[in-house]
Structure formats: structure tokens, C-alpha cells
């Protein structure tokens, strides 16, 4: 009766097997609960729903956001590959390097983590050859991925080619396999030079063969 309301507001570990709780009582607890209720009503009001419906609505919004993010990522991939209604006329022609097909392209607004998937699609598209894509992020950094179809890995090594492209963007190294490799570079403005570096390196190998 002396402390009236008792409200636990946090709990944490102090040591092994020991927990610590913090609580409010009396007027402090009352003010805390009033503030929590105000926050709840503001959040519910912003979504134009009843406070009791807030948890389910938040879950629904999170699921919708994930769906939209997936759709946006897919749209960016389609645009990068020259597909979609807005992609007409943007498809990069396949080049010929001494009888070897080369698909090289600079991609704006594509997440570097999507590069490998796009390169795989490019390899399927050309059937036999080398694919190189450079992605430019909003923070001015670049990422480059190189793919070599299985029938050409004895002549072209994706790791060596991606190193040449990364070096042109101020990067070092690159990792992967003979058929797929990726690297980064701090100077995305030199994306065209990176493509040209891979083109030159691949051209030398094609000529040597």
C-alpha cells in the first residue's frame, strides 16, 4: 500500500546466474504508464487503427515491406539485364573477342550481393563466353563480378580477370573460383575503365589461344 503501483521496467544479467531488475513505484510508476499509453495511442493514431490492433498491424506492415523490397530487387535485376517494359533498347550487345563472346556492362543501383546471380543469368544467356558486370552503389563504391562458362575455364580464370577490373577501380585482390569471382573498388567512377581492363585481359587470353 505504501509503494502503490510497482512496475518492472528492465532486467539484465549482472553475473553468471544473477539477474538485475529495475522498477518504478508510486508516482514514478504512474507517470511511466501514462507515457507508455500516450505513445501507444500516438502510434495507433498514425496508422488510424485501435491501440489493441497495433501489434498485428505492425507485423502486417513488416511483411508488406519485405515483399516490396523483394519486388524492387527483382525489378532492378530485370532492368540491369535489359528486361522489362522500361528496358527496351538498353540491352548490351554481346562482343566478340577472338571468337569468344563477352558480355560487359555497368549497372547503376544494383546491390553488390546481387551481382553473382546476374552474372549467372548472363552466362546462361550467352551459352559460352565471359560475363563481367560492375555495380555502382550510392556511396560511390564499386563492385565487379566476372563469370566464365565451364567450357572456357581452362582458358580464362575469373579470379585473374576480376583482379584486373578491381585494380582499375583502386581495389586489390578478388576472390572466387575459375568460373565466378567478385571484388570491390573504392572508385566507382572508374567503372568503364574496370570493364575495359577486363576486356583487355580477356582479349589477350583469347588472342593467345
Amino acid at each position: 500500500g505504501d509503494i502503490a503501483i510497482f512496475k518492472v521496467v528492465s532486467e539484465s544479467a549482472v553475473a553468471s546466474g544473477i539477474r538485475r531488475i529495475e522498477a518504478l513505484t508510486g508516482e514514478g510508476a504512474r507517470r511511466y504508464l501514462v507515457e507508455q499509453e500516450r505513445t501507444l495511442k500516438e502510434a495507433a493514431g498514425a496508422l488510424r487503427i485501435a491501440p489493441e490492433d497495433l501489434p498485428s498491424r505492425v507485423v502486417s506492415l513488416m511483411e508488406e515491406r519485405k515483399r516490396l523490397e523483394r519486388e524492387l530487387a527483382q525489378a532492378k535485376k530485370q532492368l540491369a539485364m535489359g528486361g522489362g517494359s522500361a528496358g527496351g533498347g538498353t540491352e548490351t550487345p554481346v562482343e566478340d573477342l577472338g571468337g569468344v563472346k563477352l558480355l560487359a556492362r555497368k549497372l547503376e543501383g544494383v546491390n553488390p550481393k546481387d551481382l553473382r546471380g546476374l552474372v549467372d543469368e548472363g552466362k546462361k544467356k550467352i551459352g559460352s563466353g565471359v560475363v563481367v558486370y560492375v555495380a555502382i552503389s550510392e556511396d560511390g563504391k564499386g563492385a565487379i563480378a566476372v563469370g566464365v562458362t565451364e567450357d572456357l575455364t581452362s582458358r580464362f580464370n575469373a579470379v585473374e580477370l576480376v583482379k584486373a577490373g578491381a585494380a582499375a577501380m583502386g581495389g586489390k585482390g578478388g576472390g572466387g573460383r575459375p568460373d565466378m569471382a567478385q571484388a570491390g573498388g573504392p572508385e566507382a567512377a572508374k567503372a568503364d575503365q574496370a570493364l575495359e581492363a577486363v576486356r583487355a585481359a580477356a582479349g589477350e587470353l583469347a588472342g593467345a589461344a
Side-chain angles (χ1 to χ4, degrees), residues 5 12 53 108 117 165 172 179-181 203:
I5 303 172
S12 59
D53 295 330
E108 299 277 358
K172 295 182 179 179
D179 66 322
M180 177 70 73

Side-chain angles (χ1 to χ4, degrees), residues 30-78:
R30 188 193 68 80
R31 289 197 299 267
Y32 174 83
L33 293 173
V34 169
E35 180 63 21
Q36 291 294 97
E37 183 180 15
R38 184 188 67 79
T39 301
L40 175 63
K41 288 182 177 179
E42 285 185 0
L47 295 175
R48 298 180 180 179
I49 59 175
E52 58 267 25
D53 295 330
L54 187 59
S56 60
R57 180 58 173 158
V58 170
V59 171
S60 176
L61 287 173
M62 292 178 65
E63 292 176 349
E64 183 178 0
R65 177 180 176 178
K66 291 179 180 178
R67 178 183 61 79
L68 292 173
E69 287 176 344
R70 288 194 299 268
E71 291 179 358
L72 178 59
Q74 184 61 31
K76 286 182 176 180
K77 289 181 182 180
Q78 290 178 351

Side-chain angles (χ1 to χ4, degrees), residues 104-106 132 134 136 144 161-170 187-201:
R105 188 165 191 171
K106 178 173 62 176
V132 52
V134 176
I136 302 175
I144 180 171
L161 293 176
V162 87
K163 286 181 179 179
M169 293 191 294
E187 302 175 51
K190 296 183 178 180
D192 289 327
Q193 289 93 318
L195 291 174
E196 184 55 39
V198 175
R199 184 180 288 110

